[in-house]
Amino acid sequence: MRVASSSGQIALGFAALLVASMPLWAGAYHLQLASTALVAAMFALSLQLLVGGAGMVSLGHAGFFGVGAYAVHLLPPGLSVLLTLPAAAGLAAVAALPIGALSLRTRGFFFLMVTLAFGQMLFFLFHDTALGGGKDGVFVTRPALEVLGLALEVPRRQRPAVLLWLNLGLLVAIYALLAGLMRTGFGHALQGIRANEERMRALGYDTRRLKLAAFVLAGALAGIAGHMAAMTDAFVNPEMLSWHRSVEALLMVLLGGIGALHGPVLGAFALVALEDAATVLTERQRLVEGLVILAVVLALPKGLASLRVRLRRPQPMPAEPVTAVRP
Amino acid sequence: MDTAAFLAQLLNGVQYGLLLFLISSGLTLIFGVMGVINLAHGSLFMVGAYLAYVIAAWTGALWLALPLAILGGLGFGALLEAGLFRRFYQREHLDQVLLTFALILLFEEARSMLLGNDFHAVPVPAALDFSVPVVGGFSYSAYRLAVLGVCLLVAALMFLGIERTRVGSAVRAAAEKPEMVDLLGLDARRIHMLVFAAGTALAMLAGALAAPLQSVYPNMGDGFLIIGFVVVVVGGIGSIAGAFWGALLIGLVDTMGKAYLPQVAGLAVYLLMAGILLWRPAGLFARRA
């Protein structure tokens, strides 16, 4: 999986600064929207580790997002975010371990279906049992923004800004973690599995174990995204685990381009912006979203990233005219 | 335990399972023959159910919905195949997932534009609105028995069609050895269109049959789609027999679970699926590749 070039990283850095400066110039609505997009980007990025990293298309990834979100509901209220965040990641990883171990007995279409079914299982766990607090969802107390015992007294008015910065910081951290990981032997092995799993196994790699490690890590990162979604909205509901969410994350990955690590971030911002625009402009949000997805899969099978590449290098120019200009 | 109630639940389970078979046989054939994951299959089920609702509301003759669902499904399926799905046979699973997810959104939007977002009850046809005495003072809904009968009939016709006819052997060849189809001089395009059309018709028929058993409502296809996939996974992809026995098993476990262990009913079928996958990762009726 490609990590952004140095010029690309500068562009990403500028984008991050732009988002970070939003509290100076944007209203509360757009701060909330940006936080939503940042959380979506974290979630999509965690899925990219599976799809772009090792070629595993999971349809149940939202389950781990939901486990992370519901951790906020299940943990005692008033804890510091420094405790709840690792707890959410840990719970999601604990859920991902057996599900991954079972799902990875299968491949391709079966893997897709089995992850879908396990995702639904988690969905029903929170939808139907007393654990989740009801199918309509529950309001949760936000974990305290407290650092090492020093209570950060955040006035109510500045809370959206602090949440935005926290989300941005976590997204940057997850991005950096994955970018670093893709440069390690583990990352290269995953790439090898995506290209040709048989060959990797023949070379002596324990591909099932590598894929399981990626699955659990992706689950933990999705749990972090879910935790931040619960913290941003102060609300959790079973819809957070629905397979529609998983497909939306896949859409973000594909929209931004499977081959690049920054793809899901672009895709997440594009989709959140699109959904917001569709809601503002029309009542028919699904119509707009459906037609856009249809257009993307029909016209741009490699996502928005391929559009950029196409714009930059339209067609290789024939050599003759150039030599004709310079005799 | 109350024997009559138990028998009723048993029959409910079989009837639900046979309905699931109509849905999952289409899913498994479309994947087995074309390699396409059709998430919009549940939406086709919904189209069938709403068709039944509209027919019942306009004409009062619900039975008309059955031939219309079959014929309309064949035509609609052929159109979808030729217009969209044909381009996606060679594409990655992810692209197929997104294409069919887009279709779900568009179907839902069309439903909401044309028919609104309310729940609607569809009355059981008057001629079948009675109970049939079965054994020892136990009686059962005539409509449910009729659904059971229609599903069994369709299943029998499908097995005969696939096992005994030339077209059926071509479909089997396409599902089991796709590379053989061209060598045998069969028209793969026509087989693809036929399979897709038949799958669509079966899903719409299932929807029309199910409409009076439950209300018709937004997103109703969703639950049936997921459970249909569970059936396909449990039975083994591309296997009609697997879809049949898998559907009966899932139908019974789900119905019995809801009746006798309501606390875990939502999870029961998924736990069963997990157990079967531990035992046989490729499903109960998987062909050894």
Side-chain angles (χ1 to χ4, degrees), chain A residues 102 105 109-110 113-114 117 121 243-244 247 254 284 286-287 297 301, chain B residues 31 37 91 98 101 109 112 222 229 237 267 273 277-278 281-282:
Chain A
L102 266 177
R105 292 167 64 86
F109 174 79
F110 261 94
M113 290 306 102
V114 172
M121 194 162 136
W243 67 277
H244 285 223
V247 179
L254 188 87
R284 306 279 172 205
R286 279 180 307 211
L287 182 69
V297 290
Chain B
F31 184 79
I37 294 165
R91 298 273 292 269
L98 291 178
F101 185 69
E109 199 59 64
S112 134
D222 232 52
F229 275 126
I237 289 172
L267 296 175
M273 184 196 72
L277 281 173
L278 265 177

PDB file of all heavy atoms in Angstrom, chain A residues 102 105 109-110 113-114 117 121 243-244 247 254 284 286-287 297 301, chain B residues 31 37 91 98 101 109 112 222 229 237 267 273 277-278 281-282:
ATOM      1  N   LEU A 102     -12.123 -17.339  13.415  1.00  0.00           N
ATOM      2  CA  LEU A 102     -13.127 -18.138  12.703  1.00  0.00           C
ATOM      3  C   LEU A 102     -13.257 -17.703  11.242  1.00  0.00           C
ATOM      4  O   LEU A 102     -13.288 -18.541  10.339  1.00  0.00           O
ATOM      5  CB  LEU A 102     -14.482 -17.992  13.387  1.00  0.00           C
ATOM      6  CG  LEU A 102     -14.832 -19.040  14.424  1.00  0.00           C
ATOM      7  CD1 LEU A 102     -16.175 -18.720  15.051  1.00  0.00           C
ATOM      8  CD2 LEU A 102     -14.881 -20.424  13.780  1.00  0.00           C
ATOM      9  N   ARG A 105     -10.735 -18.771   8.579  1.00  0.00           N
ATOM     10  CA  ARG A 105     -10.751 -20.128   8.038  1.00  0.00           C
ATOM     11  C   ARG A 105     -11.268 -20.115   6.607  1.00  0.00           C
ATOM     12  O   ARG A 105     -11.169 -21.115   5.906  1.00  0.00           O
ATOM     13  CB  ARG A 105     -11.647 -21.024   8.898  1.00  0.00           C
ATOM     14  CG  ARG A 105     -11.085 -21.273  10.287  1.00  0.00           C
ATOM     15  CD  ARG A 105     -12.136 -21.892  11.182  1.00  0.00           C
ATOM     16  NE  ARG A 105     -12.569 -23.206  10.747  1.00  0.00           N
ATOM     17  CZ  ARG A 105     -11.948 -24.332  11.068  1.00  0.00           C
ATOM     18  NH1 ARG A 105     -10.872 -24.292  11.815  1.00  0.00           N
ATOM     19  NH2 ARG A 105     -12.382 -25.490  10.646  1.00  0.00           N
ATOM     20  N   PHE A 109     -15.368 -14.811  -1.102  1.00  0.00           N
ATOM     21  CA  PHE A 109     -16.791 -14.605  -0.872  1.00  0.00           C
ATOM     22  C   PHE A 109     -17.208 -15.094   0.514  1.00  0.00           C
ATOM     23  O   PHE A 109     -17.961 -14.428   1.220  1.00  0.00           O
ATOM     24  CB  PHE A 109     -17.578 -15.355  -1.954  1.00  0.00           C
ATOM     25  CG  PHE A 109     -19.070 -15.346  -1.740  1.00  0.00           C
ATOM     26  CD1 PHE A 109     -19.808 -14.228  -2.068  1.00  0.00           C
ATOM     27  CD2 PHE A 109     -19.714 -16.454  -1.231  1.00  0.00           C
ATOM     28  CE1 PHE A 109     -21.183 -14.220  -1.884  1.00  0.00           C
ATOM     29  CE2 PHE A 109     -21.091 -16.452  -1.043  1.00  0.00           C
ATOM     30  CZ  PHE A 109     -21.817 -15.324  -1.374  1.00  0.00           C
ATOM     31  N   PHE A 110     -16.676 -16.244   0.922  1.00  0.00           N
ATOM     32  CA  PHE A 110     -17.029 -16.779   2.234  1.00  0.00           C
ATOM     33  C   PHE A 110     -16.597 -15.828   3.344  1.00  0.00           C
ATOM     34  O   PHE A 110     -17.339 -15.581   4.289  1.00  0.00           O
ATOM     35  CB  PHE A 110     -16.371 -18.149   2.454  1.00  0.00           C
ATOM     36  CG  PHE A 110     -17.298 -19.285   2.194  1.00  0.00           C
ATOM     37  CD1 PHE A 110     -17.333 -19.897   0.956  1.00  0.00           C
ATOM     38  CD2 PHE A 110     -18.142 -19.738   3.184  1.00  0.00           C
ATOM     39  CE1 PHE A 110     -18.194 -20.937   0.710  1.00  0.00           C
ATOM     40  CE2 PHE A 110     -19.004 -20.789   2.959  1.00  0.00           C
ATOM     41  CZ  PHE A 110     -19.034 -21.394   1.712  1.00  0.00           C
ATOM     42  N   MET A 113     -19.039 -13.018   3.598  1.00  0.00           N
ATOM     43  CA  MET A 113     -20.320 -13.399   4.191  1.00  0.00           C
ATOM     44  C   MET A 113     -20.187 -13.702   5.671  1.00  0.00           C
ATOM     45  O   MET A 113     -21.056 -13.376   6.468  1.00  0.00           O
ATOM     46  CB  MET A 113     -20.859 -14.646   3.479  1.00  0.00           C
ATOM     47  CG  MET A 113     -21.303 -14.412   2.081  1.00  0.00           C
ATOM     48  SD  MET A 113     -22.487 -13.094   2.021  1.00  0.00           S
ATOM     49  CE  MET A 113     -21.508 -11.759   1.443  1.00  0.00           C
ATOM     50  N   VAL A 114     -19.079 -14.353   6.031  1.00  0.00           N
ATOM     51  CA  VAL A 114     -18.910 -14.738   7.418  1.00  0.00           C
ATOM     52  C   VAL A 114     -18.681 -13.507   8.285  1.00  0.00           C
ATOM     53  O   VAL A 114     -19.262 -13.382   9.366  1.00  0.00           O
ATOM     54  CB  VAL A 114     -17.740 -15.728   7.548  1.00  0.00           C
ATOM     55  CG1 VAL A 114     -17.425 -15.997   8.990  1.00  0.00           C
ATOM     56  CG2 VAL A 114     -18.095 -17.029   6.850  1.00  0.00           C
ATOM     57  N   ALA A 117     -21.992 -11.914   8.752  1.00  0.00           N
ATOM     58  CA  ALA A 117     -22.836 -12.586   9.738  1.00  0.00           C
ATOM     59  C   ALA A 117     -22.350 -12.305  11.167  1.00  0.00           C
ATOM     60  O   ALA A 117     -23.155 -12.074  12.072  1.00  0.00           O
ATOM     61  CB  ALA A 117     -22.857 -14.089   9.464  1.00  0.00           C
ATOM     62  N   MET A 121     -24.174 -10.496  14.265  1.00  0.00           N
ATOM     63  CA  MET A 121     -24.258 -11.105  15.586  1.00  0.00           C
ATOM     64  C   MET A 121     -23.969 -10.047  16.656  1.00  0.00           C
ATOM     65  O   MET A 121     -24.702  -9.937  17.647  1.00  0.00           O
ATOM     66  CB  MET A 121     -23.227 -12.227  15.653  1.00  0.00           C
ATOM     67  CG  MET A 121     -23.376 -13.156  16.785  1.00  0.00           C
ATOM     68  SD  MET A 121     -22.422 -14.641  16.367  1.00  0.00           S
ATOM     69  CE  MET A 121     -21.641 -14.905  17.914  1.00  0.00           C
ATOM     70  N   TRP A 243     -24.502  -3.473   9.130  1.00  0.00           N
ATOM     71  CA  TRP A 243     -23.606  -3.769   8.012  1.00  0.00           C
ATOM     72  C   TRP A 243     -23.608  -2.637   6.988  1.00  0.00           C
ATOM     73  O   TRP A 243     -22.685  -2.508   6.209  1.00  0.00           O
ATOM     74  CB  TRP A 243     -23.951  -5.109   7.375  1.00  0.00           C
ATOM     75  CG  TRP A 243     -25.277  -5.155   6.683  1.00  0.00           C
ATOM     76  CD1 TRP A 243     -26.485  -5.361   7.256  1.00  0.00           C
ATOM     77  CD2 TRP A 243     -25.517  -4.996   5.286  1.00  0.00           C
ATOM     78  NE1 TRP A 243     -27.467  -5.332   6.311  1.00  0.00           N
ATOM     79  CE2 TRP A 243     -26.910  -5.119   5.097  1.00  0.00           C
ATOM     80  CE3 TRP A 243     -24.694  -4.761   4.187  1.00  0.00           C
ATOM     81  CZ2 TRP A 243     -27.497  -5.006   3.844  1.00  0.00           C
ATOM     82  CZ3 TRP A 243     -25.282  -4.651   2.942  1.00  0.00           C
ATOM     83  CH2 TRP A 243     -26.660  -4.774   2.778  1.00  0.00           C
ATOM     84  N   HIS A 244     -24.630  -1.781   7.035  1.00  0.00           N
ATOM     85  CA  HIS A 244     -24.617  -0.604   6.164  1.00  0.00           C
ATOM     86  C   HIS A 244     -23.407   0.272   6.467  1.00  0.00           C
ATOM     87  O   HIS A 244     -22.784   0.834   5.575  1.00  0.00           O
ATOM     88  CB  HIS A 244     -25.897   0.208   6.342  1.00  0.00           C
ATOM     89  CG  HIS A 244     -27.098  -0.407   5.696  1.00  0.00           C
ATOM     90  ND1 HIS A 244     -28.010   0.294   4.984  1.00  0.00           N
ATOM     91  CD2 HIS A 244     -27.517  -1.681   5.654  1.00  0.00           C
ATOM     92  CE1 HIS A 244     -28.943  -0.508   4.520  1.00  0.00           C
ATOM     93  NE2 HIS A 244     -28.665  -1.718   4.929  1.00  0.00           N
ATOM     94  N   VAL A 247     -20.388  -1.218   4.880  1.00  0.00           N
ATOM     95  CA  VAL A 247     -20.328  -0.941   3.444  1.00  0.00           C
ATOM     96  C   VAL A 247     -19.921   0.509   3.209  1.00  0.00           C
ATOM     97  O   VAL A 247     -19.152   0.810   2.304  1.00  0.00           O
ATOM     98  CB  VAL A 247     -21.672  -1.250   2.752  1.00  0.00           C
ATOM     99  CG1 VAL A 247     -21.585  -0.936   1.273  1.00  0.00           C
ATOM    100  CG2 VAL A 247     -22.051  -2.697   2.943  1.00  0.00           C
ATOM    101  N   LEU A 254     -12.824   2.657  -1.116  1.00  0.00           N
ATOM    102  CA  LEU A 254     -12.791   2.571  -2.571  1.00  0.00           C
ATOM    103  C   LEU A 254     -12.814   3.962  -3.199  1.00  0.00           C
ATOM    104  O   LEU A 254     -12.127   4.227  -4.182  1.00  0.00           O
ATOM    105  CB  LEU A 254     -13.976   1.761  -3.087  1.00  0.00           C
ATOM    106  CG  LEU A 254     -13.861   1.485  -4.583  1.00  0.00           C
ATOM    107  CD1 LEU A 254     -13.053   0.231  -4.820  1.00  0.00           C
ATOM    108  CD2 LEU A 254     -15.200   1.381  -5.253  1.00  0.00           C
ATOM    109  N   ARG A 284     -33.790  13.704  -0.663  1.00  0.00           N
ATOM    110  CA  ARG A 284     -33.512  12.376  -1.197  1.00  0.00           C
ATOM    111  C   ARG A 284     -32.039  12.038  -1.048  1.00  0.00           C
ATOM    112  O   ARG A 284     -31.315  11.926  -2.031  1.00  0.00           O
ATOM    113  CB  ARG A 284     -33.915  12.309  -2.667  1.00  0.00           C
ATOM    114  CG  ARG A 284     -35.345  12.720  -2.917  1.00  0.00           C
ATOM    115  CD  ARG A 284     -36.270  11.577  -2.610  1.00  0.00           C
ATOM    116  NE  ARG A 284     -37.665  12.006  -2.674  1.00  0.00           N
ATOM    117  CZ  ARG A 284     -38.636  11.384  -2.001  1.00  0.00           C
ATOM    118  NH1 ARG A 284     -38.361  10.371  -1.221  1.00  0.00           N
ATOM    119  NH2 ARG A 284     -39.865  11.789  -2.093  1.00  0.00           N
ATOM    120  N   ARG A 286     -30.604   9.252  -0.027  1.00  0.00           N
ATOM    121  CA  ARG A 286     -30.213   7.932  -0.537  1.00  0.00           C
ATOM    122  C   ARG A 286     -30.082   7.941  -2.047  1.00  0.00           C
ATOM    123  O   ARG A 286     -29.232   7.257  -2.611  1.00  0.00           O
ATOM    124  CB  ARG A 286     -31.247   6.881  -0.119  1.00  0.00           C
ATOM    125  CG  ARG A 286     -31.061   6.397   1.291  1.00  0.00           C
ATOM    126  CD  ARG A 286     -32.105   5.370   1.616  1.00  0.00           C
ATOM    127  NE  ARG A 286     -33.440   5.869   1.328  1.00  0.00           N
ATOM    128  CZ  ARG A 286     -34.538   5.515   1.991  1.00  0.00           C
ATOM    129  NH1 ARG A 286     -34.464   4.644   2.955  1.00  0.00           N
ATOM    130  NH2 ARG A 286     -35.704   6.021   1.671  1.00  0.00           N
ATOM    131  N   LEU A 287     -30.957   8.719  -2.708  1.00  0.00           N
ATOM    132  CA  LEU A 287     -30.912   8.797  -4.162  1.00  0.00           C
ATOM    133  C   LEU A 287     -29.557   9.340  -4.600  1.00  0.00           C
ATOM    134  O   LEU A 287     -28.882   8.782  -5.466  1.00  0.00           O
ATOM    135  CB  LEU A 287     -32.042   9.701  -4.667  1.00  0.00           C
ATOM    136  CG  LEU A 287     -32.154   9.849  -6.180  1.00  0.00           C
ATOM    137  CD1 LEU A 287     -32.616   8.548  -6.802  1.00  0.00           C
ATOM    138  CD2 LEU A 287     -33.120  10.972  -6.546  1.00  0.00           C
ATOM    139  N   VAL A 297     -18.525   3.291  -9.215  1.00  0.00           N
ATOM    140  CA  VAL A 297     -18.143   1.922  -9.578  1.00  0.00           C
ATOM    141  C   VAL A 297     -18.196   1.703 -11.084  1.00  0.00           C
ATOM    142  O   VAL A 297     -17.453   0.882 -11.614  1.00  0.00           O
ATOM    143  CB  VAL A 297     -18.975   0.819  -8.872  1.00  0.00           C
ATOM    144  CG1 VAL A 297     -18.646   0.740  -7.410  1.00  0.00           C
ATOM    145  CG2 VAL A 297     -20.445   0.983  -9.104  1.00  0.00           C
ATOM    146  N   PRO A 301     -13.302   2.673 -11.379  1.00  0.00           N
ATOM    147  CA  PRO A 301     -13.117   1.492 -10.530  1.00  0.00           C
ATOM    148  C   PRO A 301     -11.962   1.633  -9.548  1.00  0.00           C
ATOM    149  O   PRO A 301     -11.921   0.911  -8.561  1.00  0.00           O
ATOM    150  CB  PRO A 301     -12.869   0.363 -11.529  1.00  0.00           C
ATOM    151  CG  PRO A 301     -12.706   0.987 -12.843  1.00  0.00           C
ATOM    152  CD  PRO A 301     -13.228   2.369 -12.788  1.00  0.00           C
TER     153      PRO A 301
ATOM    154  N   PHE B  31     -24.287 -16.536  -7.329  1.00  0.00           N
ATOM    155  CA  PHE B  31     -22.866 -16.541  -7.014  1.00  0.00           C
ATOM    156  C   PHE B  31     -22.169 -17.723  -7.667  1.00  0.00           C
ATOM    157  O   PHE B  31     -21.085 -17.586  -8.231  1.00  0.00           O
ATOM    158  CB  PHE B  31     -22.600 -16.557  -5.504  1.00  0.00           C
ATOM    159  CG  PHE B  31     -21.124 -16.453  -5.234  1.00  0.00           C
ATOM    160  CD1 PHE B  31     -20.504 -15.226  -5.318  1.00  0.00           C
ATOM    161  CD2 PHE B  31     -20.361 -17.581  -5.013  1.00  0.00           C
ATOM    162  CE1 PHE B  31     -19.139 -15.116  -5.156  1.00  0.00           C
ATOM    163  CE2 PHE B  31     -18.986 -17.478  -4.847  1.00  0.00           C
ATOM    164  CZ  PHE B  31     -18.377 -16.246  -4.913  1.00  0.00           C
ATOM    165  N   ILE B  37     -21.775 -11.262  -6.089  1.00  0.00           N
ATOM    166  CA  ILE B  37     -22.394 -11.106  -4.778  1.00  0.00           C
ATOM    167  C   ILE B  37     -23.498 -10.073  -4.913  1.00  0.00           C
ATOM    168  O   ILE B  37     -23.236  -8.902  -5.149  1.00  0.00           O
ATOM    169  CB  ILE B  37     -21.354 -10.621  -3.761  1.00  0.00           C
ATOM    170  CG1 ILE B  37     -20.314 -11.709  -3.549  1.00  0.00           C
ATOM    171  CG2 ILE B  37     -22.012 -10.235  -2.463  1.00  0.00           C
ATOM    172  CD1 ILE B  37     -19.087 -11.210  -2.871  1.00  0.00           C
ATOM    173  N   ARG B  91     -15.213  -8.196 -12.257  1.00  0.00           N
ATOM    174  CA  ARG B  91     -14.689  -7.195 -11.326  1.00  0.00           C
ATOM    175  C   ARG B  91     -14.511  -7.802  -9.941  1.00  0.00           C
ATOM    176  O   ARG B  91     -14.964  -8.908  -9.651  1.00  0.00           O
ATOM    177  CB  ARG B  91     -15.670  -6.012 -11.249  1.00  0.00           C
ATOM    178  CG  ARG B  91     -15.860  -5.289 -12.576  1.00  0.00           C
ATOM    179  CD  ARG B  91     -14.849  -4.226 -12.810  1.00  0.00           C
ATOM    180  NE  ARG B  91     -15.017  -3.118 -11.896  1.00  0.00           N
ATOM    181  CZ  ARG B  91     -15.771  -2.040 -12.144  1.00  0.00           C
ATOM    182  NH1 ARG B  91     -16.435  -1.943 -13.268  1.00  0.00           N
ATOM    183  NH2 ARG B  91     -15.848  -1.067 -11.251  1.00  0.00           N
ATOM    184  N   LEU B  98     -20.269  -2.740  -3.714  1.00  0.00           N
ATOM    185  CA  LEU B  98     -20.676  -1.335  -3.814  1.00  0.00           C
ATOM    186  C   LEU B  98     -21.783  -1.147  -4.847  1.00  0.00           C
ATOM    187  O   LEU B  98     -22.736  -0.403  -4.600  1.00  0.00           O
ATOM    188  CB  LEU B  98     -19.472  -0.463  -4.151  1.00  0.00           C
ATOM    189  CG  LEU B  98     -18.472  -0.371  -2.993  1.00  0.00           C
ATOM    190  CD1 LEU B  98     -17.267   0.463  -3.385  1.00  0.00           C
ATOM    191  CD2 LEU B  98     -19.132   0.218  -1.755  1.00  0.00           C
ATOM    192  N   PHE B 101     -24.902  -2.397  -3.260  1.00  0.00           N
ATOM    193  CA  PHE B 101     -25.311  -1.512  -2.164  1.00  0.00           C
ATOM    194  C   PHE B 101     -25.980  -0.259  -2.726  1.00  0.00           C
ATOM    195  O   PHE B 101     -27.000   0.211  -2.203  1.00  0.00           O
ATOM    196  CB  PHE B 101     -24.105  -1.140  -1.305  1.00  0.00           C
ATOM    197  CG  PHE B 101     -24.465  -0.320  -0.090  1.00  0.00           C
ATOM    198  CD1 PHE B 101     -25.169  -0.884   0.957  1.00  0.00           C
ATOM    199  CD2 PHE B 101     -24.097   1.017   0.010  1.00  0.00           C
ATOM    200  CE1 PHE B 101     -25.506  -0.139   2.078  1.00  0.00           C
ATOM    201  CE2 PHE B 101     -24.425   1.763   1.126  1.00  0.00           C
ATOM    202  CZ  PHE B 101     -25.131   1.185   2.162  1.00  0.00           C
ATOM    203  N   GLU B 109     -35.125   4.206  -2.073  1.00  0.00           N
ATOM    204  CA  GLU B 109     -35.593   5.554  -2.398  1.00  0.00           C
ATOM    205  C   GLU B 109     -36.819   5.491  -3.310  1.00  0.00           C
ATOM    206  O   GLU B 109     -37.787   6.233  -3.121  1.00  0.00           O
ATOM    207  CB  GLU B 109     -34.455   6.328  -3.075  1.00  0.00           C
ATOM    208  CG  GLU B 109     -34.632   7.812  -3.055  1.00  0.00           C
ATOM    209  CD  GLU B 109     -34.731   8.383  -1.667  1.00  0.00           C
ATOM    210  OE1 GLU B 109     -33.749   8.283  -0.924  1.00  0.00           O
ATOM    211  OE2 GLU B 109     -35.784   8.943  -1.325  1.00  0.00           O
ATOM    212  N   SER B 112     -39.774   4.560  -1.292  1.00  0.00           N
ATOM    213  CA  SER B 112     -40.249   5.669  -0.465  1.00  0.00           C
ATOM    214  C   SER B 112     -40.956   6.747  -1.309  1.00  0.00           C
ATOM    215  O   SER B 112     -41.944   7.328  -0.889  1.00  0.00           O
ATOM    216  CB  SER B 112     -39.076   6.220   0.338  1.00  0.00           C
ATOM    217  OG  SER B 112     -39.018   7.600   0.305  1.00  0.00           O
ATOM    218  N   ASP B 222     -33.674  -6.319   4.173  1.00  0.00           N
ATOM    219  CA  ASP B 222     -32.392  -6.414   4.868  1.00  0.00           C
ATOM    220  C   ASP B 222     -32.236  -7.702   5.676  1.00  0.00           C
ATOM    221  O   ASP B 222     -31.272  -8.434   5.515  1.00  0.00           O
ATOM    222  CB  ASP B 222     -32.286  -5.236   5.828  1.00  0.00           C
ATOM    223  CG  ASP B 222     -30.994  -4.491   5.645  1.00  0.00           C
ATOM    224  OD1 ASP B 222     -30.704  -4.130   4.489  1.00  0.00           O
ATOM    225  OD2 ASP B 222     -30.294  -4.306   6.645  1.00  0.00           O
ATOM    226  N   PHE B 229     -27.861 -15.065   3.291  1.00  0.00           N
ATOM    227  CA  PHE B 229     -26.419 -15.300   3.209  1.00  0.00           C
ATOM    228  C   PHE B 229     -25.971 -16.336   4.236  1.00  0.00           C
ATOM    229  O   PHE B 229     -25.098 -17.160   3.953  1.00  0.00           O
ATOM    230  CB  PHE B 229     -25.643 -14.002   3.391  1.00  0.00           C
ATOM    231  CG  PHE B 229     -25.489 -13.241   2.110  1.00  0.00           C
ATOM    232  CD1 PHE B 229     -25.875 -11.917   2.013  1.00  0.00           C
ATOM    233  CD2 PHE B 229     -24.959 -13.859   1.000  1.00  0.00           C
ATOM    234  CE1 PHE B 229     -25.746 -11.232   0.828  1.00  0.00           C
ATOM    235  CE2 PHE B 229     -24.813 -13.179  -0.198  1.00  0.00           C
ATOM    236  CZ  PHE B 229     -25.212 -11.857  -0.286  1.00  0.00           C
ATOM    237  N   ILE B 237     -21.576 -22.693  -0.883  1.00  0.00           N
ATOM    238  CA  ILE B 237     -21.882 -21.826  -2.024  1.00  0.00           C
ATOM    239  C   ILE B 237     -22.104 -22.614  -3.302  1.00  0.00           C
ATOM    240  O   ILE B 237     -21.367 -23.536  -3.592  1.00  0.00           O
ATOM    241  CB  ILE B 237     -20.730 -20.830  -2.217  1.00  0.00           C
ATOM    242  CG1 ILE B 237     -20.747 -19.809  -1.088  1.00  0.00           C
ATOM    243  CG2 ILE B 237     -20.864 -20.107  -3.542  1.00  0.00           C
ATOM    244  CD1 ILE B 237     -19.563 -18.916  -1.092  1.00  0.00           C
ATOM    245  N   LEU B 267     -29.420 -14.250  18.215  1.00  0.00           N
ATOM    246  CA  LEU B 267     -28.054 -14.730  18.044  1.00  0.00           C
ATOM    247  C   LEU B 267     -27.983 -16.183  17.594  1.00  0.00           C
ATOM    248  O   LEU B 267     -26.966 -16.625  17.074  1.00  0.00           O
ATOM    249  CB  LEU B 267     -27.287 -14.598  19.364  1.00  0.00           C
ATOM    250  CG  LEU B 267     -27.091 -13.180  19.886  1.00  0.00           C
ATOM    251  CD1 LEU B 267     -26.427 -13.206  21.251  1.00  0.00           C
ATOM    252  CD2 LEU B 267     -26.243 -12.384  18.915  1.00  0.00           C
ATOM    253  N   MET B 273     -24.205 -20.880  12.817  1.00  0.00           N
ATOM    254  CA  MET B 273     -23.324 -20.714  11.666  1.00  0.00           C
ATOM    255  C   MET B 273     -21.864 -20.797  12.083  1.00  0.00           C
ATOM    256  O   MET B 273     -21.055 -21.464  11.424  1.00  0.00           O
ATOM    257  CB  MET B 273     -23.597 -19.375  10.994  1.00  0.00           C
ATOM    258  CG  MET B 273     -22.793 -19.188   9.733  1.00  0.00           C
ATOM    259  SD  MET B 273     -22.770 -17.493   9.198  1.00  0.00           S
ATOM    260  CE  MET B 273     -21.720 -16.783  10.441  1.00  0.00           C
ATOM    261  N   LEU B 277     -19.157 -23.535  10.772  1.00  0.00           N
ATOM    262  CA  LEU B 277     -17.924 -23.136  10.091  1.00  0.00           C
ATOM    263  C   LEU B 277     -16.689 -23.697  10.774  1.00  0.00           C
ATOM    264  O   LEU B 277     -15.683 -23.979  10.122  1.00  0.00           O
ATOM    265  CB  LEU B 277     -17.826 -21.616  10.031  1.00  0.00           C
ATOM    266  CG  LEU B 277     -18.681 -20.984   8.951  1.00  0.00           C
ATOM    267  CD1 LEU B 277     -18.636 -19.489   9.079  1.00  0.00           C
ATOM    268  CD2 LEU B 277     -18.193 -21.404   7.581  1.00  0.00           C
ATOM    269  N   LEU B 278     -16.768 -23.829  12.107  1.00  0.00           N
ATOM    270  CA  LEU B 278     -15.657 -24.446  12.824  1.00  0.00           C
ATOM    271  C   LEU B 278     -15.469 -25.871  12.334  1.00  0.00           C
ATOM    272  O   LEU B 278     -14.355 -26.363  12.187  1.00  0.00           O
ATOM    273  CB  LEU B 278     -15.975 -24.481  14.321  1.00  0.00           C
ATOM    274  CG  LEU B 278     -15.433 -23.345  15.171  1.00  0.00           C
ATOM    275  CD1 LEU B 278     -15.910 -23.495  16.594  1.00  0.00           C
ATOM    276  CD2 LEU B 278     -13.924 -23.329  15.115  1.00  0.00           C
ATOM    277  N   PRO B 281     -15.535 -25.515   7.243  1.00  0.00           N
ATOM    278  CA  PRO B 281     -15.374 -24.109   6.842  1.00  0.00           C
ATOM    279  C   PRO B 281     -16.050 -23.756   5.523  1.00  0.00           C
ATOM    280  O   PRO B 281     -16.380 -22.604   5.302  1.00  0.00           O
ATOM    281  CB  PRO B 281     -13.862 -23.953   6.719  1.00  0.00           C
ATOM    282  CG  PRO B 281     -13.288 -25.050   7.531  1.00  0.00           C
ATOM    283  CD  PRO B 281     -14.263 -26.181   7.510  1.00  0.00           C
ATOM    284  N   ALA B 282     -16.270 -24.724   4.628  1.00  0.00           N
ATOM    285  CA  ALA B 282     -16.858 -24.376   3.335  1.00  0.00           C
ATOM    286  C   ALA B 282     -18.351 -24.688   3.278  1.00  0.00           C
ATOM    287  O   ALA B 282     -18.957 -24.634   2.220  1.00  0.00           O
ATOM    288  CB  ALA B 282     -16.130 -25.109   2.211  1.00  0.00           C
TER     289      ALA B 282
END
